[in-house]
């Protein structure tokens, strides 16, 4: 009963929203077969040490190890498909005047699903740059134009340094354009829909609270109560591949009724 009330409240807020910002994390891609980071046993950081794989120092120490790990992740993502959760977020664009997605995910699945406005906070697997950004920040490198393999980090065609994945690692700051797009989406939204993130990694973790401080309603979708439940106005427990399509269906009915 409580749950049905919460669901109903979420639909009402979405029906009245003119600007929706959706903040997503690894959970939204789990039903596409892509592992999250912090879940016990299956999470990537339960199996691998991020200090060995996801920092600039790790790459300096062992570029080939880091390269091979990211190539394997890219390979997995390339074979995955957007799931009903991603597709429901695309459908929301027909029901709310403005929808921006701010994602921590590097899998590109929101864009492949068809979402139009996507800010990728942590970069993208399958995009590459010179480790030293020798031609300016970022010095993007098209892998199709240089010799490369899956085991060894290739050399930059400009400076002969190393090529790295264009993702944000621990200890790195987000690109200015990405921060700008995020601030704009957070400051304009009247509803912030948070989906599938543990709410631990900054600066993404503080975005829901910032949206709330500016007057937005925060709705949290997650099968497990995460850090963000404490500040969420509405918590909808469940996997996003089920909760988001159900929200869209109800919203369609509600908007149809006027
Ligand atoms: P986490 O692994 O920290 O959290 C994933 C969240 O998804 C958890 O709260 C789960 O309960 C939830 N979840 C699991 N299955 C779900 C489902 N079917 N539907 C919805 N939610 C589900 O991943 P993130 O919060 O995204 O950064 O992690 C943030 C950042 O930490 C990542 O971007 C990455 C990582 O280190 C970098 O690599 C820089």
């Amino acid at each position: 009963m409580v749950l049905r009330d919460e669901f109903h409240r979420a639909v009402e807020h979405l029906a009245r929203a003119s600007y929706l910002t959706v903040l997503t994390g690894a959970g939204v891609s789990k039903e596409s077969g892509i592992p999250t980071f912090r879940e016990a046993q299956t999470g990537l950081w339960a199996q691998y040490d991020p200090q060995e794989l996801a920092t600039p120092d790790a790459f300096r120490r062992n570029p080939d190890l880091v390269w091979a790990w990211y190539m394997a992740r890219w390979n997995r993502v390339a074979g995955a498909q957007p799931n009903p959760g991603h597709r429901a977020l695309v459908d929301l664009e027909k029901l709310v005047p403005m929808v921006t997605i701010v994602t921590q995910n590097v899998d590109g699945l929101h864009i492949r699903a068809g979402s139009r406005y996507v800010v990728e906070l942590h970069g993208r697997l399958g995009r590459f740059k010179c480790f030293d950004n020798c031609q300016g920040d970022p010095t993007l490198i098209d892998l199709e134009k240089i010799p490369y393999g899956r085991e060894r980090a290739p050399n930059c065609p400009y400076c002969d340094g190393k090529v790295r994945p264009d993702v944000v690692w621990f200890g790195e700051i987000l690109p200015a354009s990405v921060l700008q797009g995020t601030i704009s989406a957070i400051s304009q939204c009247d509803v912030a829909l948070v989906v599938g993130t543990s709410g631990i990694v900054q600066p993404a973790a503080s975005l829901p609270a910032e949206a709330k401080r500016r007057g937005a309603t925060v709705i949290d979708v997650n099968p497990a109560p995460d850090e963000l439940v404490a500040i969420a106005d509405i918590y909808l427990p469940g996997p996003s591949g089920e909760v988001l399509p159900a929200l869209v269906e109800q919203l369609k009915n509600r908007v149809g009724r006027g």
Side-chain angles (χ1 to χ4, degrees):
M1 187 57 170
V2 175
L3 188 56
R4 215 171 60 203
D5 287 351
E6 291 289 275
F7 203 84
H8 182 71
R9 282 177 60 219
V11 171
E12 283 305 308
H13 279 286
L14 288 170
R16 279 185 256 119
S18 47
Y19 195 124
L20 167 66
T21 295
V22 187
L23 300 160
T24 67
V28 79
S29 293
K30 190 172 172 186
E31 287 148 279
S32 293
I34 299 171
T36 61
F37 291 94
R38 291 178 185 77
E39 286 183 287
Q41 278 130 36
T42 57
L44 287 179
W45 297 155
Q47 301 168 62
Y48 302 98
D49 180 357
Q51 295 305 321
E52 298 296 323
L53 294 164
T55 73
D57 274 349
F59 189 79
R60 269 186 212 101
R61 280 196 305 271
N62 197 340
D64 295 342
L65 175 79
V66 174
W67 178 262
W69 191 69
Y70 274 91
M71 290 302 269
R73 281 183 65 197
W74 181 32
N75 196 34
R76 182 162 193 170
V77 158
Q81 296 301 324
N83 67 55
H86 295 110
R87 289 197 292 274
L89 295 177
V90 180
D91 291 343
L92 276 178
E93 293 183 3
K94 298 182 203 99
L95 300 163
V96 180
M98 182 65 200
V99 178
T100 298
I101 295 183
V102 177
T103 187
Q104 296 166 83
N105 299 345
V106 292
D107 55 36
L109 287 178
H110 287 302
I111 290 170
R112 277 173 55 198
S115 284
R116 279 188 297 169
Y117 302 104
V118 182
V119 178
E120 295 178 307
L121 282 177
H122 294 164
R124 170 91 71 93
L125 292 173
R127 204 171 56 205
F128 303 90
K129 64 182 181 184
C130 168
F131 181 72
D132 295 315
N133 280 327
C134 64
Q135 306 295 305
D137 188 2
T139 299
L140 294 177
I141 308 288
D142 183 350
L143 271 202
E144 298 302 319
K145 299 198 172 133
I146 61 168
Y148 79 97
R150 297 196 163 266
E151 304 299 326
R152 298 182 71 93
N155 291 348
C156 171
Y158 304 110
C159 69
D160 213 32
K162 290 292 178 190
V163 175
R164 59 165 278 181
D166 186 18
V167 297
V168 175
W169 282 329
F170 289 100
E172 295 187 311
I173 54 167
L174 305 189
S177 61
V178 164
L179 272 178
Q180 198 50 48
T182 305
I183 291 165
S184 162
I186 291 300
S187 55
Q188 291 182 76
C189 68
D190 30 39
V191 176
L193 177 61
V194 186
V195 187
T197 176
S198 54
I200 287 172
V201 173
Q202 297 293 356
S206 58
L207 299 177
E210 181 57 17
K212 185 166 173 151
R213 200 181 64 75
R214 291 169 180 264
T217 302
V218 176
I219 305 171
D220 187 22
V221 176
N222 197 312
D226 53 40
E227 295 288 315
L228 300 168
V229 169
I231 67 129
D233 298 287
I234 302 171
Y235 170 50
L236 302 177
S240 48
E242 293 172 23
V243 175
L244 296 178
L247 262 185
V248 165
E249 272 319 296
Q250 295 285 320
L251 187 58
K252 275 185 192 156
N253 294 336
R254 168 65 180 75
V255 171
R257 282 203 313 273

